[in-house]
Amino acid sequence: MIDGNPCEVPWDAVQGISAGRVRMDNEMWHLALAADIDRQGSARLVIVTEADRIWARFTQILPQVFPCVPSVTTWGPQALTASEPVSLYDRPSDLPRMRGTETRLQ
């Protein structure tokens, strides 16, 4: 969902991904991923936390779509203890739009 509306986002719209932690209502820290999305000239920040239904699938598929992104077991412990977000992916400015972008996360 973006702005409360269900949507699909093509992978080539992802400009960057960072990992960090958020404090939930129960005062426990949860892992969170922030994806910087540029969709049709409109920038959005999509945040997915461990509490979200999509978490497991999202963290499993990221290394498949973006080979430079390690598995959650690699970056998770660092993201839980770091004082700043951990950058996992930054799209190079000269990278052309990806082929096969019909594969989308919804």
Tab-separated table of all heavy atoms in Angstrom, residues 30-94:
chain	number	residue	atom	x	y	z
A	30	HIS	N	11.942	-3.729	16.249
A	30	HIS	CA	11.733	-4.606	15.105
A	30	HIS	C	12.608	-4.130	13.958
A	30	HIS	O	12.858	-2.934	13.816
A	30	HIS	CB	10.269	-4.549	14.629
A	30	HIS	CG	9.329	-5.340	15.463
A	30	HIS	ND1	8.434	-6.215	14.934
A	30	HIS	CD2	9.141	-5.377	16.809
A	30	HIS	CE1	7.728	-6.762	15.893
A	30	HIS	NE2	8.131	-6.267	17.036
A	31	LEU	N	13.040	-5.071	13.139
A	31	LEU	CA	13.749	-4.707	11.920
A	31	LEU	C	12.789	-4.019	10.970
A	31	LEU	O	11.590	-4.319	10.951
A	31	LEU	CB	14.320	-5.948	11.237
A	31	LEU	CG	15.527	-6.586	11.902
A	31	LEU	CD1	15.838	-7.923	11.244
A	31	LEU	CD2	16.729	-5.661	11.817
A	32	ALA	N	13.326	-3.118	10.172
A	32	ALA	CA	12.522	-2.422	9.171
A	32	ALA	C	13.372	-2.187	7.928
A	32	ALA	O	14.586	-1.997	8.017
A	32	ALA	CB	12.030	-1.085	9.715
A	33	LEU	N	12.712	-2.235	6.792
A	33	LEU	CA	13.337	-1.899	5.516
A	33	LEU	C	12.632	-0.682	4.948
A	33	LEU	O	11.404	-0.602	4.991
A	33	LEU	CB	13.215	-3.054	4.525
A	33	LEU	CG	14.108	-4.250	4.797
A	33	LEU	CD1	13.700	-5.424	3.926
A	33	LEU	CD2	15.556	-3.889	4.541
A	34	ALA	N	13.406	0.239	4.432
A	34	ALA	CA	12.851	1.420	3.771
A	34	ALA	C	13.293	1.373	2.314
A	34	ALA	O	14.488	1.296	2.023
A	34	ALA	CB	13.348	2.697	4.436
A	35	ALA	N	12.321	1.372	1.421
A	35	ALA	CA	12.607	1.357	-0.012
A	35	ALA	C	12.241	2.709	-0.597
A	35	ALA	O	11.118	3.182	-0.442
A	35	ALA	CB	11.828	0.243	-0.701
A	36	ASP	N	13.208	3.337	-1.239
A	36	ASP	CA	13.011	4.615	-1.916
A	36	ASP	C	12.480	4.302	-3.310
A	36	ASP	O	13.170	3.688	-4.121
A	36	ASP	CB	14.345	5.353	-1.985
A	36	ASP	CG	14.265	6.668	-2.706
A	36	ASP	OD1	13.161	7.211	-2.854
A	36	ASP	OD2	15.329	7.163	-3.136
A	37	ILE	N	11.229	4.684	-3.563
A	37	ILE	CA	10.544	4.355	-4.808
A	37	ILE	C	10.348	5.614	-5.646
A	37	ILE	O	9.887	6.630	-5.150
A	37	ILE	CB	9.144	3.752	-4.517
A	37	ILE	CG1	9.237	2.582	-3.539
A	37	ILE	CG2	8.421	3.384	-5.793
A	37	ILE	CD1	9.911	1.371	-4.057
A	38	ASP	N	10.711	5.521	-6.917
A	38	ASP	CA	10.417	6.599	-7.863
A	38	ASP	C	9.472	6.001	-8.899
A	38	ASP	O	9.879	5.246	-9.769
A	38	ASP	CB	11.687	7.102	-8.535
A	38	ASP	CG	11.428	8.270	-9.475
A	38	ASP	OD1	10.256	8.688	-9.606
A	38	ASP	OD2	12.389	8.760	-10.087
A	39	ARG	N	8.208	6.334	-8.774
A	39	ARG	CA	7.181	5.761	-9.639
A	39	ARG	C	6.521	6.861	-10.442
A	39	ARG	O	5.824	7.704	-9.891
A	39	ARG	CB	6.146	5.044	-8.771
A	39	ARG	CG	5.141	4.272	-9.536
A	39	ARG	CD	4.375	3.371	-8.576
A	39	ARG	NE	3.414	2.591	-9.295
A	39	ARG	CZ	2.121	2.602	-9.043
A	39	ARG	NH1	1.634	3.330	-8.065
A	39	ARG	NH2	1.313	1.865	-9.763
A	40	GLN	N	6.796	6.867	-11.735
A	40	GLN	CA	6.229	7.849	-12.651
A	40	GLN	C	6.492	9.272	-12.165
A	40	GLN	O	5.616	10.124	-12.166
A	40	GLN	CB	4.737	7.592	-12.834
A	40	GLN	CG	4.450	6.219	-13.414
A	40	GLN	CD	2.991	5.848	-13.358
A	40	GLN	OE1	2.212	6.417	-12.595
A	40	GLN	NE2	2.604	4.882	-14.159
A	41	GLY	N	7.732	9.506	-11.729
A	41	GLY	CA	8.141	10.832	-11.306
A	41	GLY	C	7.690	11.229	-9.920
A	41	GLY	O	7.915	12.351	-9.484
A	42	SER	N	7.062	10.318	-9.194
A	42	SER	CA	6.584	10.601	-7.841
A	42	SER	C	7.415	9.783	-6.853
A	42	SER	O	7.422	8.553	-6.908
A	42	SER	CB	5.102	10.243	-7.727
A	42	SER	OG	4.650	10.450	-6.409
A	43	ALA	N	8.121	10.450	-5.971
A	43	ALA	CA	8.976	9.763	-5.001
A	43	ALA	C	8.186	9.381	-3.758
A	43	ALA	O	7.374	10.161	-3.261
A	43	ALA	CB	10.137	10.667	-4.616
A	44	ARG	N	8.421	8.174	-3.293
A	44	ARG	CA	7.772	7.656	-2.091
A	44	ARG	C	8.795	6.864	-1.289
A	44	ARG	O	9.736	6.302	-1.834
A	44	ARG	CB	6.625	6.704	-2.431
A	44	ARG	CG	5.512	7.313	-3.219
A	44	ARG	CD	4.556	8.025	-2.268
A	44	ARG	NE	3.309	8.344	-2.938
A	44	ARG	CZ	2.953	9.556	-3.276
A	44	ARG	NH1	3.751	10.558	-3.036
A	44	ARG	NH2	1.799	9.774	-3.855
A	45	LEU	N	8.576	6.778	-0.001
A	45	LEU	CA	9.368	5.931	0.869
A	45	LEU	C	8.426	4.861	1.401
A	45	LEU	O	7.447	5.171	2.080
A	45	LEU	CB	9.975	6.733	2.020
A	45	LEU	CG	10.936	5.975	2.913
A	45	LEU	CD1	12.174	5.560	2.130
A	45	LEU	CD2	11.328	6.821	4.112
A	46	VAL	N	8.703	3.617	1.068
A	46	VAL	CA	7.878	2.500	1.510
A	46	VAL	C	8.623	1.795	2.630
A	46	VAL	O	9.782	1.410	2.468
A	46	VAL	CB	7.598	1.523	0.346
A	46	VAL	CG1	6.824	0.322	0.827
A	46	VAL	CG2	6.854	2.250	-0.767
A	47	ILE	N	7.957	1.625	3.774
A	47	ILE	CA	8.578	0.989	4.929
A	47	ILE	C	7.875	-0.329	5.215
A	47	ILE	O	6.646	-0.383	5.295
A	47	ILE	CB	8.531	1.913	6.156
A	47	ILE	CG1	9.322	3.188	5.845
A	47	ILE	CG2	9.087	1.197	7.390
A	47	ILE	CD1	9.252	4.252	6.904
A	48	VAL	N	8.676	-1.372	5.358
A	48	VAL	CA	8.175	-2.710	5.682
A	48	VAL	C	8.873	-3.137	6.966
A	48	VAL	O	10.101	-3.078	7.045
A	48	VAL	CB	8.483	-3.711	4.548
A	48	VAL	CG1	7.983	-5.099	4.904
A	48	VAL	CG2	7.891	-3.239	3.236
A	49	THR	N	8.090	-3.563	7.965
A	49	THR	CA	8.675	-4.016	9.229
A	49	THR	C	8.430	-5.507	9.420
A	49	THR	O	7.623	-6.116	8.726
A	49	THR	CB	8.071	-3.272	10.439
A	49	THR	OG1	6.737	-3.734	10.666
A	49	THR	CG2	8.097	-1.764	10.239
A	50	GLU	N	9.111	-6.056	10.406
A	50	GLU	CA	8.931	-7.469	10.740
A	50	GLU	C	7.481	-7.795	11.070
A	50	GLU	O	7.057	-8.936	10.928
A	50	GLU	CB	9.770	-7.837	11.962
A	50	GLU	CG	11.238	-7.966	11.710
A	50	GLU	CD	11.961	-8.357	12.966
A	50	GLU	OE1	12.164	-7.475	13.827
A	50	GLU	OE2	12.328	-9.544	13.094
A	51	ALA	N	6.723	-6.818	11.499
A	51	ALA	CA	5.328	-7.036	11.880
A	51	ALA	C	4.391	-7.095	10.669
A	51	ALA	O	3.241	-7.484	10.801
A	51	ALA	CB	4.865	-5.929	12.838
A	52	ASP	N	4.881	-6.719	9.490
A	52	ASP	CA	4.051	-6.707	8.284
A	52	ASP	C	3.985	-8.093	7.646
A	52	ASP	O	4.974	-8.826	7.636
A	52	ASP	CB	4.595	-5.698	7.265
A	52	ASP	CG	4.476	-4.272	7.748
A	52	ASP	OD1	3.428	-3.923	8.296
A	52	ASP	OD2	5.457	-3.512	7.573
A	53	ARG	N	2.819	-8.426	7.112
A	53	ARG	CA	2.607	-9.734	6.463
A	53	ARG	C	3.615	-10.006	5.354
A	53	ARG	O	3.999	-11.134	5.110
A	53	ARG	CB	1.213	-9.807	5.838
A	53	ARG	CG	0.106	-10.038	6.758
A	53	ARG	CD	-1.184	-10.273	5.997
A	53	ARG	NE	-1.158	-9.708	4.644
A	53	ARG	CZ	-2.145	-9.051	4.093
A	53	ARG	NH1	-3.259	-8.858	4.741
A	53	ARG	NH2	-2.046	-8.592	2.875
A	54	ILE	N	4.030	-8.988	4.682
A	54	ILE	CA	4.899	-9.136	3.515
A	54	ILE	C	6.377	-9.323	3.890
A	54	ILE	O	7.198	-9.637	3.041
A	54	ILE	CB	4.713	-7.916	2.584
A	54	ILE	CG1	5.251	-8.219	1.214
A	54	ILE	CG2	5.334	-6.684	3.183
A	54	ILE	CD1	4.911	-7.180	0.184
A	55	TRP	N	6.736	-9.164	5.159
A	55	TRP	CA	8.129	-9.183	5.594
A	55	TRP	C	8.909	-10.399	5.089
A	55	TRP	O	9.961	-10.263	4.471
A	55	TRP	CB	8.220	-9.092	7.113
A	55	TRP	CG	9.624	-9.170	7.614
A	55	TRP	CD1	10.249	-10.271	8.138
A	55	TRP	CD2	10.601	-8.132	7.614
A	55	TRP	NE1	11.545	-9.964	8.475
A	55	TRP	CE2	11.791	-8.664	8.169
A	55	TRP	CE3	10.597	-6.794	7.204
A	55	TRP	CZ2	12.941	-7.907	8.317
A	55	TRP	CZ3	11.751	-6.039	7.364
A	55	TRP	CH2	12.907	-6.596	7.910
A	56	ALA	N	8.426	-11.601	5.384
A	56	ALA	CA	9.182	-12.817	5.038
A	56	ALA	C	9.415	-12.905	3.529
A	56	ALA	O	10.549	-13.143	3.079
A	56	ALA	CB	8.459	-14.058	5.544
A	57	ARG	N	8.388	-12.704	2.750
A	57	ARG	CA	8.525	-12.792	1.289
A	57	ARG	C	9.438	-11.686	0.761
A	57	ARG	O	10.268	-11.917	-0.115
A	57	ARG	CB	7.141	-12.710	0.637
A	57	ARG	CG	7.177	-12.788	-0.860
A	57	ARG	CD	7.517	-14.197	-1.346
A	57	ARG	NE	7.520	-14.223	-2.802
A	57	ARG	CZ	8.516	-14.683	-3.528
A	57	ARG	NH1	9.574	-15.215	-2.958
A	57	ARG	NH2	8.454	-14.655	-4.837
A	58	PHE	N	9.290	-10.482	1.294
A	58	PHE	CA	10.094	-9.343	0.850
A	58	PHE	C	11.577	-9.583	1.125
A	58	PHE	O	12.418	-9.390	0.254
A	58	PHE	CB	9.598	-8.079	1.548
A	58	PHE	CG	10.155	-6.797	1.003
A	58	PHE	CD1	10.023	-6.465	-0.329
A	58	PHE	CD2	10.796	-5.895	1.836
A	58	PHE	CE1	10.520	-5.270	-0.842
A	58	PHE	CE2	11.296	-4.693	1.350
A	58	PHE	CZ	11.153	-4.387	0.011
A	59	THR	N	11.903	-10.035	2.334
A	59	THR	CA	13.315	-10.251	2.668
A	59	THR	C	13.893	-11.448	1.926
A	59	THR	O	15.096	-11.477	1.653
A	59	THR	CB	13.514	-10.420	4.185
A	59	THR	OG1	12.696	-11.491	4.664
A	59	THR	CG2	13.185	-9.132	4.921
A	60	GLN	N	13.063	-12.429	1.564
A	60	GLN	CA	13.549	-13.580	0.801
A	60	GLN	C	13.835	-13.218	-0.652
A	60	GLN	O	14.783	-13.716	-1.249
A	60	GLN	CB	12.523	-14.716	0.827
A	60	GLN	CG	12.415	-15.400	2.158
A	60	GLN	CD	11.234	-16.363	2.197
A	60	GLN	OE1	10.407	-16.393	1.294
A	60	GLN	NE2	11.160	-17.140	3.266
A	61	ILE	N	13.007	-12.373	-1.221
A	61	ILE	CA	13.123	-12.083	-2.655
A	61	ILE	C	14.152	-10.979	-2.959
A	61	ILE	O	14.695	-10.946	-4.058
A	61	ILE	CB	11.746	-11.730	-3.247
A	61	ILE	CG1	11.772	-11.947	-4.756
A	61	ILE	CG2	11.311	-10.328	-2.893
A	61	ILE	CD1	10.418	-11.915	-5.410
A	62	LEU	N	14.455	-10.117	-2.008
A	62	LEU	CA	15.391	-9.015	-2.278
A	62	LEU	C	16.727	-9.479	-2.848
A	62	LEU	O	17.184	-8.932	-3.855
A	62	LEU	CB	15.611	-8.163	-1.030
A	62	LEU	CG	14.531	-7.153	-0.724
A	62	LEU	CD1	14.858	-6.405	0.566
A	62	LEU	CD2	14.339	-6.181	-1.863
A	63	PRO	N	17.395	-10.478	-2.250
A	63	PRO	CA	18.674	-10.907	-2.830
A	63	PRO	C	18.543	-11.529	-4.225
A	63	PRO	O	19.508	-11.557	-4.977
A	63	PRO	CB	19.198	-11.944	-1.825
A	63	PRO	CG	18.489	-11.638	-0.553
A	63	PRO	CD	17.129	-11.130	-0.966
A	64	GLN	N	17.367	-12.001	-4.566
A	64	GLN	CA	17.156	-12.562	-5.900
A	64	GLN	C	17.006	-11.447	-6.936
A	64	GLN	O	17.504	-11.555	-8.047
A	64	GLN	CB	15.916	-13.451	-5.909
A	64	GLN	CG	16.049	-14.669	-5.025
A	64	GLN	CD	14.731	-15.388	-4.850
A	64	GLN	OE1	13.823	-15.254	-5.661
A	64	GLN	NE2	14.614	-16.147	-3.783
A	65	VAL	N	16.316	-10.398	-6.558
A	65	VAL	CA	16.087	-9.280	-7.474
A	65	VAL	C	17.315	-8.374	-7.540
A	65	VAL	O	17.696	-7.901	-8.607
A	65	VAL	CB	14.842	-8.473	-7.043
A	65	VAL	CG1	14.658	-7.246	-7.920
A	65	VAL	CG2	13.605	-9.348	-7.082
A	66	PHE	N	17.916	-8.134	-6.387
A	66	PHE	CA	19.101	-7.278	-6.279
A	66	PHE	C	20.241	-8.123	-5.695
A	66	PHE	O	20.375	-8.212	-4.473
A	66	PHE	CB	18.824	-6.067	-5.384
A	66	PHE	CG	17.667	-5.233	-5.837
A	66	PHE	CD1	16.451	-5.266	-5.147
A	66	PHE	CD2	17.761	-4.421	-6.948
A	66	PHE	CE1	15.373	-4.499	-5.559
A	66	PHE	CE2	16.686	-3.651	-7.366
A	66	PHE	CZ	15.495	-3.692	-6.669
A	67	PRO	N	21.057	-8.762	-6.534
A	67	PRO	CA	22.094	-9.668	-6.045
A	67	PRO	C	23.083	-9.040	-5.065
A	67	PRO	O	23.697	-9.760	-4.276
A	67	PRO	CB	22.808	-10.114	-7.325
A	67	PRO	CG	21.773	-9.965	-8.390
A	67	PRO	CD	20.964	-8.754	-7.988
A	68	CYS	N	23.205	-7.730	-5.065
A	68	CYS	CA	24.137	-7.090	-4.129
A	68	CYS	C	23.563	-6.995	-2.713
A	68	CYS	O	24.290	-6.690	-1.772
A	68	CYS	CB	24.520	-5.705	-4.630
A	68	CYS	SG	23.126	-4.572	-4.756
A	69	VAL	N	22.265	-7.250	-2.552
A	69	VAL	CA	21.636	-7.200	-1.228
A	69	VAL	C	21.806	-8.560	-0.558
A	69	VAL	O	21.332	-9.572	-1.069
A	69	VAL	CB	20.130	-6.842	-1.328
A	69	VAL	CG1	19.468	-6.919	0.038
A	69	VAL	CG2	19.947	-5.459	-1.932
A	70	PRO	N	22.485	-8.592	0.592
A	70	PRO	CA	22.669	-9.871	1.283
A	70	PRO	C	21.370	-10.331	1.963
A	70	PRO	O	20.400	-9.579	2.031
A	70	PRO	CB	23.750	-9.562	2.320
A	70	PRO	CG	23.678	-8.098	2.532
A	70	PRO	CD	23.157	-7.495	1.249
A	71	SER	N	21.403	-11.527	2.483
A	71	SER	CA	20.221	-12.050	3.176
A	71	SER	C	20.031	-11.320	4.505
A	71	SER	O	20.954	-10.713	5.055
A	71	SER	CB	20.359	-13.546	3.418
A	71	SER	OG	21.305	-13.784	4.434
A	72	VAL	N	18.826	-11.414	5.038
A	72	VAL	CA	18.476	-10.750	6.301
A	72	VAL	C	19.363	-11.242	7.447
A	72	VAL	O	19.636	-10.489	8.381
A	72	VAL	CB	16.972	-10.908	6.621
A	72	VAL	CG1	16.625	-12.351	6.893
A	72	VAL	CG2	16.545	-10.029	7.786
A	73	THR	N	19.835	-12.476	7.379
A	73	THR	CA	20.702	-12.981	8.447
A	73	THR	C	22.045	-12.254	8.473
A	73	THR	O	22.704	-12.210	9.505
A	73	THR	CB	20.934	-14.502	8.309
A	73	THR	OG1	21.490	-14.778	7.022
A	73	THR	CG2	19.634	-15.274	8.479
A	74	THR	N	22.423	-11.658	7.370
A	74	THR	CA	23.673	-10.900	7.294
A	74	THR	C	23.492	-9.484	7.817
A	74	THR	O	24.263	-9.017	8.657
A	74	THR	CB	24.190	-10.858	5.840
A	74	THR	OG1	24.397	-12.193	5.393
A	74	THR	CG2	25.479	-10.071	5.731
A	75	TRP	N	22.482	-8.762	7.336
A	75	TRP	CA	22.323	-7.358	7.712
A	75	TRP	C	21.429	-7.140	8.936
A	75	TRP	O	21.486	-6.089	9.566
A	75	TRP	CB	21.822	-6.514	6.551
A	75	TRP	CG	20.542	-6.963	5.919
A	75	TRP	CD1	20.404	-7.679	4.769
A	75	TRP	CD2	19.214	-6.723	6.384
A	75	TRP	NE1	19.082	-7.905	4.498
A	75	TRP	CE2	18.328	-7.326	5.477
A	75	TRP	CE3	18.678	-6.051	7.491
A	75	TRP	CZ2	16.946	-7.285	5.635
A	75	TRP	CZ3	17.299	-6.010	7.651
A	75	TRP	CH2	16.453	-6.625	6.734
A	76	GLY	N	20.616	-8.109	9.293
A	76	GLY	CA	19.678	-7.950	10.411
A	76	GLY	C	20.330	-7.584	11.732
A	76	GLY	O	19.943	-6.587	12.369
A	77	PRO	N	21.318	-8.349	12.203
A	77	PRO	CA	21.945	-8.002	13.477
A	77	PRO	C	22.571	-6.604	13.483
A	77	PRO	O	22.471	-5.881	14.475
A	77	PRO	CB	23.020	-9.091	13.642
A	77	PRO	CG	22.494	-10.249	12.854
A	77	PRO	CD	21.796	-9.621	11.668
A	78	GLN	N	23.185	-6.221	12.374
A	78	GLN	CA	23.788	-4.883	12.293
A	78	GLN	C	22.710	-3.804	12.341
A	78	GLN	O	22.857	-2.797	13.025
A	78	GLN	CB	24.607	-4.748	11.015
A	78	GLN	CG	25.269	-3.400	10.879
A	78	GLN	CD	26.008	-3.229	9.560
A	78	GLN	OE1	26.032	-4.136	8.720
A	78	GLN	NE2	26.621	-2.078	9.375
A	79	ALA	N	21.607	-4.018	11.626
A	79	ALA	CA	20.526	-3.025	11.598
A	79	ALA	C	19.875	-2.854	12.961
A	79	ALA	O	19.422	-1.756	13.307
A	79	ALA	CB	19.479	-3.418	10.553
A	80	LEU	N	19.812	-3.915	13.747
A	80	LEU	CA	19.202	-3.825	15.083
A	80	LEU	C	20.060	-3.047	16.072
A	80	LEU	O	19.535	-2.484	17.031
A	80	LEU	CB	18.932	-5.224	15.644
A	80	LEU	CG	17.662	-5.901	15.176
A	80	LEU	CD1	17.601	-7.328	15.698
A	80	LEU	CD2	16.426	-5.122	15.598
A	81	THR	N	21.361	-3.003	15.838
A	81	THR	CA	22.248	-2.341	16.799
A	81	THR	C	22.809	-1.008	16.309
A	81	THR	O	23.331	-0.236	17.103
A	81	THR	CB	23.423	-3.270	17.167
A	81	THR	OG1	24.127	-3.628	15.973
A	81	THR	CG2	22.918	-4.527	17.863
A	82	ALA	N	22.711	-0.736	15.023
A	82	ALA	CA	23.278	0.500	14.464
A	82	ALA	C	22.438	1.721	14.855
A	82	ALA	O	21.212	1.635	14.959
A	82	ALA	CB	23.369	0.395	12.945
A	83	SER	N	23.091	2.828	15.060
A	83	SER	CA	22.380	4.062	15.393
A	83	SER	C	21.822	4.754	14.149
A	83	SER	O	20.951	5.608	14.248
A	83	SER	CB	23.293	5.019	16.152
A	83	SER	OG	24.427	5.327	15.361
A	84	GLU	N	22.325	4.378	12.983
A	84	GLU	CA	21.881	4.931	11.702
A	84	GLU	C	21.418	3.783	10.800
A	84	GLU	O	21.873	2.657	10.968
A	84	GLU	CB	23.040	5.655	11.002
A	84	GLU	CG	23.600	6.819	11.780
A	84	GLU	CD	22.710	8.041	11.697
A	84	GLU	OE1	22.094	8.247	10.640
A	84	GLU	OE2	22.635	8.772	12.689
A	85	PRO	N	20.554	4.069	9.832
A	85	PRO	CA	20.163	3.017	8.885
A	85	PRO	C	21.371	2.465	8.125
A	85	PRO	O	22.353	3.163	7.889
A	85	PRO	CB	19.208	3.737	7.924
A	85	PRO	CG	18.717	4.909	8.695
A	85	PRO	CD	19.848	5.325	9.592
A	86	VAL	N	21.265	1.207	7.748
A	86	VAL	CA	22.308	0.525	6.993
A	86	VAL	C	21.868	0.490	5.531
A	86	VAL	O	20.794	-0.011	5.213
A	86	VAL	CB	22.492	-0.919	7.528
A	86	VAL	CG1	23.504	-1.680	6.691
A	86	VAL	CG2	22.869	-0.903	8.995
A	87	SER	N	22.687	1.040	4.652
A	87	SER	CA	22.357	1.050	3.229
A	87	SER	C	22.600	-0.340	2.643
A	87	SER	O	23.686	-0.897	2.765
A	87	SER	CB	23.195	2.080	2.494
A	87	SER	OG	22.902	2.045	1.113
A	88	LEU	N	21.557	-0.894	1.991
A	88	LEU	CA	21.665	-2.205	1.364
A	88	LEU	C	21.765	-2.112	-0.154
A	88	LEU	O	22.338	-2.985	-0.798
A	88	LEU	CB	20.453	-3.068	1.726
A	88	LEU	CG	20.228	-3.333	3.206
A	88	LEU	CD1	18.966	-4.162	3.400
A	88	LEU	CD2	21.435	-4.020	3.823
A	89	TYR	N	21.183	-1.062	-0.726
A	89	TYR	CA	21.165	-0.934	-2.183
A	89	TYR	C	20.978	0.523	-2.565
A	89	TYR	O	20.131	1.217	-2.005
A	89	TYR	CB	20.012	-1.757	-2.772
A	89	TYR	CG	19.799	-1.549	-4.257
A	89	TYR	CD1	20.655	-2.126	-5.183
A	89	TYR	CD2	18.754	-0.776	-4.723
A	89	TYR	CE1	20.469	-1.931	-6.546
A	89	TYR	CE2	18.558	-0.576	-6.084
A	89	TYR	CZ	19.419	-1.148	-6.990
A	89	TYR	OH	19.237	-0.953	-8.329
A	90	ASP	N	21.775	0.976	-3.511
A	90	ASP	CA	21.622	2.292	-4.124
A	90	ASP	C	21.762	2.101	-5.624
A	90	ASP	O	22.808	1.656	-6.098
A	90	ASP	CB	22.680	3.283	-3.636
A	90	ASP	CG	22.443	3.709	-2.203
A	90	ASP	OD1	21.351	4.224	-1.929
A	90	ASP	OD2	23.343	3.500	-1.370
A	91	ARG	N	20.699	2.432	-6.363
A	91	ARG	CA	20.734	2.276	-7.819
A	91	ARG	C	21.725	3.277	-8.403
A	91	ARG	O	21.624	4.479	-8.168
A	91	ARG	CB	19.357	2.518	-8.420
A	91	ARG	CG	19.359	2.376	-9.957
A	91	ARG	CD	17.983	2.563	-10.557
A	91	ARG	NE	17.036	1.566	-10.115
A	91	ARG	CZ	16.988	0.311	-10.566
A	91	ARG	NH1	17.829	-0.101	-11.472
A	91	ARG	NH2	16.083	-0.522	-10.109
A	92	PRO	N	22.696	2.782	-9.175
A	92	PRO	CA	23.616	3.706	-9.842
A	92	PRO	C	22.834	4.620	-10.790
A	92	PRO	O	21.875	4.186	-11.429
A	92	PRO	CB	24.550	2.781	-10.625
A	92	PRO	CG	24.428	1.443	-9.964
A	92	PRO	CD	23.026	1.386	-9.431
A	93	SER	N	23.245	5.865	-10.861
A	93	SER	CA	22.514	6.833	-11.694
A	93	SER	C	22.563	6.483	-13.173
A	93	SER	O	21.669	6.853	-13.931
A	93	SER	CB	23.056	8.246	-11.472
A	93	SER	OG	24.430	8.284	-11.793
A	94	ASP	N	23.591	5.744	-13.594
A	94	ASP	CA	23.701	5.404	-15.010
A	94	ASP	C	23.109	4.033	-15.341
A	94	ASP	O	23.204	3.574	-16.466
A	94	ASP	CB	25.161	5.458	-15.463
A	94	ASP	CG	26.034	4.463	-14.715
A	94	ASP	OD1	25.599	3.907	-13.686
A	94	ASP	OD2	27.175	4.254	-15.154
